Structure formats: structure tokens, C-alpha cells
Amino acid sequence: MIFLERVIPVAEEVGIKMALHADDPPRSIFGLPRILKNIEDHHRLLYFIDSPANGLTICTGSLGSDINNDVPAFIREFGKRGRVHFVHARNVKVNEKGDFYESDHHTVSGSLDMAEIMKVLYEEVGFDGYMRPEHGRMI
């Protein structure tokens, strides 16, 4: 939190929009806790320093790899407040055990409704920031 307390005011002063990225994956690895894994965590960190410079990278794959995360709800919640500064658009296929792999971007190929995600971004919240499709599948 000390980092945000020091960096966000400077970012705001010079017109930079910071974009926090969710933990990938949003669950414990090797027994270590994760910081940004769900909407509650994002609320806590985003509004700890309540500034337009303190925003998010919505990584659809990171957030969507936990089936309890409703990615369109994330976008609605934070996008309407102008806090979505960057988007990594990727789809993931999540199995019944919670394991996942990156799939292609088509809705039918993964567990995320990418068409709905794009609709929410552009039609509902008016996202006009940077976005890129993330992680080529054949690397």
C-alpha cells in the first residue's frame, strides 16, 4: 500500500494512468497467497487510493480462470467509474477441477463469453483505452 500512496499522486500529477493487473492465476501457487484475485480484492486496492490515476488492467484470462469471477461484472463495476485503463483480451477453458488452458478468442472455444465482454466494454461502459489480444496460443 505504501507504494500506491507514493506513486499514485505523482502519476495523477503528470497524467499517467496506472493499471493494476490481477494475479495470474487468481489462486494460491506453492502455498503463497494472492493479492488481486477477485472483485473484493480489486475494490480494496483500487479505492485505497481513490484517484483516476489508480486503475486496472482487465485481463480476461487471469480473472476468468476462476469461474467465480464474473468478468463482465468486473468491467461494469470498474469501467463505469473510469478505472479500466487497459485490457488483455484472451479466452481460457476451465475444467471441472479448476485447471485451465488458454484457448483461442472465440467464445465457443473457451469458458468466457468474449462477445459479451466486448459488448460490455464498448457499448455499456464506453471503454476507449488500449486493448490487445493476449498470448498467442501456438508459442
Side-chain angles (χ1 to χ4, degrees), residues 2-129:
I2 292 171
F3 174 80
L4 291 177
E5 290 173 319
R6 292 185 177 175
V7 169
I8 295 301
V10 176
E12 187 173 346
E13 183 180 313
V14 298
I16 292 174
K17 292 182 176 181
M18 302 296 286
L20 294 166
H21 190 291
D23 286 318
D24 191 2
R27 61 178 174 267
S28 178
I29 296 179
F30 305 119
L32 299 172
R34 305 302 267 177
I35 297 169
L36 285 174
K37 60 192 172 306
N38 55 41
I39 203 161
E40 294 81 16
D41 294 342
H42 283 75
H43 270 287
R44 183 174 37 93
L45 281 176
L46 198 60
Y47 297 113
F48 177 75
I49 302 293
D50 193 11
S51 164
N54 189 20
L56 300 175
T57 293
I58 295 290
C59 180
T60 60
S62 296
L63 294 170
S65 65
D66 180 342
I67 59 169
N68 296 310
N69 285 335
D70 181 342
V71 177
F74 264 83
I75 296 166
R76 285 183 188 100
E77 173 71 23
F78 300 114
K80 288 181 180 177
R81 298 175 187 210
R83 296 301 183 89
V84 176
H85 296 166
F86 190 78
V87 175
H88 286 167
R90 63 182 174 125
N91 205 347
V92 291
K93 183 71 173 175
V94 184
N95 69 22
E96 63 280 348
K97 293 190 294 183
D99 296 325
F100 69 95
Y101 64 87
E102 294 177 6
S103 64
D104 65 59
H105 290 85
H106 299 282
T107 294
V108 298
S109 301
S111 298
L112 302 178
D113 186 339
M114 296 303 289
E116 179 188 9
I117 288 168
M118 294 301 125
K119 184 176 180 177
V120 171
L121 274 168
Y122 289 103
E123 292 180 11
E124 291 187 33
V125 302
F127 177 74
D128 66 353

